[in-house]
Amino acid sequence: EEQLVESGGGLVQPGGSLRLSCAASGFTFSRYWMSWVRQAPGKGLEWVANIRQDGNEENYVDSVKGRFTISRDNVKNSLYLQMDSLRAEDTAVYYCARHQGDVFDFNWFDPWGQGTLVTVSS
Amino acid sequence: DIQMTQSPSSLSASVGDRVTITCRASQRISNFINWYQHKPGKAPKVLIYAASTLQGGVPSRFSGSGSGADFTLTISSLQAEDFATYYCQQSYSTPLTFGQGTRLEIK
């Protein structure tokens, strides 16, 4: 079964840092682009960042550029999100998701993990 | 950035009803649109990709249509398990963007 499992969420103070992890299983992780998507409380889904199969291309939503860093380890079948200079508005459930299809053609998110909650508060 | 505007933002319907959700892109995106179902506490699930292709395992009562900037998701006969929030998402360009969601509630 193809599966993604996030971990690393928790409570952090404004200005603090947190590193999220996503463990992939059931498929060849190194063959796929991967993304992080978040959902703030009571809000909709927001794409955060994605990364190419070899880790040599990354894209970010403007609101996290310079503060968040996406990375991957294809040996450990894991995706990461390093979050620095955290703000209250970063409070959300963070999902990792695989890009299915061709990123330069039709592509969609499938599967998704169950999410990990990040709360930024003093 | 491409803005995706869904309507309605919420909808009350009964089992057996036909339901249509619309999504308008702020620019033409060909058919680079996907639809997801999201239930509280669960992982989102893709229903339709490339505007009209049904994801494997998704019931045939779900269908998608449209091209250019205007798109629809239709549920032909609502079932109890369909009550959830639905999102459109464009994959035409980065940043990838979602609609604000349509919450489908039981009448």
Side-chain angles (χ1 to χ4, degrees):
Chain A
E1 178 191 4
E2 298 176 336
Q3 193 172 17
L4 298 168
V5 179
E6 301 93 338
S7 60
L11 175 63
V12 61
Q13 292 188 340
S17 298
L18 208 57
R19 188 194 195 207
L20 305 183
S21 299
C22 171
S25 61
F27 64 97
T28 306
F29 179 72
S30 60
R31 291 184 180 175
Y32 295 90
W33 281 73
M34 297 294 296
S35 269
W36 288 97
V37 177
R38 67 184 178 183
Q39 183 177 35
K43 303 293 185 181
L45 299 171
E46 179 185 36
W47 172 80
V48 174
N50 67 3
I51 187 168
R52 200 169 73 183
Q53 293 95 326
D54 60 5
N56 289 333
E57 181 176 345
E58 306 158 27
N59 299 289
Y60 299 90
V61 68
D62 282 350
S63 60
V64 309
K65 279 181 184 175
R67 301 189 300 121
F68 289 12
T69 304
I70 189 172
S71 63
R72 64 192 296 161
D73 185 331
N74 287 341
V75 173
K76 295 182 177 180
N77 292 330
S78 292
L79 178 72
Y80 305 101
L81 187 67
Q82 176 67 41
M83 302 186 295
D84 298 320
S85 302
L86 281 160
R87 306 167 180 166
E89 54 265 34
D90 296 318
T91 294
V93 174
Y94 284 74
Y95 299 96
C96 67
R98 183 183 73 182
H99 283 259
Q100 185 68 34
D102 183 347
V103 168
F104 299 102
D105 197 351
F106 297 110
N107 73 96
W108 55 98
F109 298 122
D110 180 61
W112 299 60
Q114 295 283 347
T116 187
L117 176 62
V118 173
T119 303
V120 184
S121 175
S122 54
Chain B
D1 298 2
I2 299 174
Q3 309 302 318
M4 304 296 286
T5 303
Q6 273 182 249
S7 61
S9 56
S10 65
L11 175 60
S12 293
S14 302
V15 171
D17 284 353
R18 179 182 181 90
V19 167
T20 298
I21 298 168
T22 65
C23 188
R24 173 165 287 179
S26 60
Q27 67 181 71
R28 295 180 67 85
I29 57 170
S30 183
N31 52 344
F32 287 82
I33 186 169
N34 309 313
W35 290 94
Y36 301 88
Q37 178 190 67
H38 192 198
K39 297 180 179 180
K42 301 283 191 178
K45 170 186 170 184
V46 63
L47 301 172
I48 302 282
Y49 61 89
S52 60
T53 304
L54 193 67
Q55 171 75 345
V58 173
S60 59
R61 63 181 179 271
F62 291 93
S63 63
S65 64
S67 185
D70 293 302
F71 304 90
T72 60
L73 172 71
T74 299
I75 310 172
S76 60
S77 179
L78 269 175
Q79 301 301 301
E81 60 267 30
D82 300 336
F83 291 95
T85 300
Y86 293 84
Y87 294 92
C88 61
Q89 175 246 328
Q90 63 83 15
S91 61
Y92 185 81
S93 66
T94 303
L96 306 173
T97 47
F98 290 85
Q100 79 276 19
T102 295
R103 184 176 179 182
L104 181 52
E105 301 173 320
I106 301 174
K107 183 183 287 185

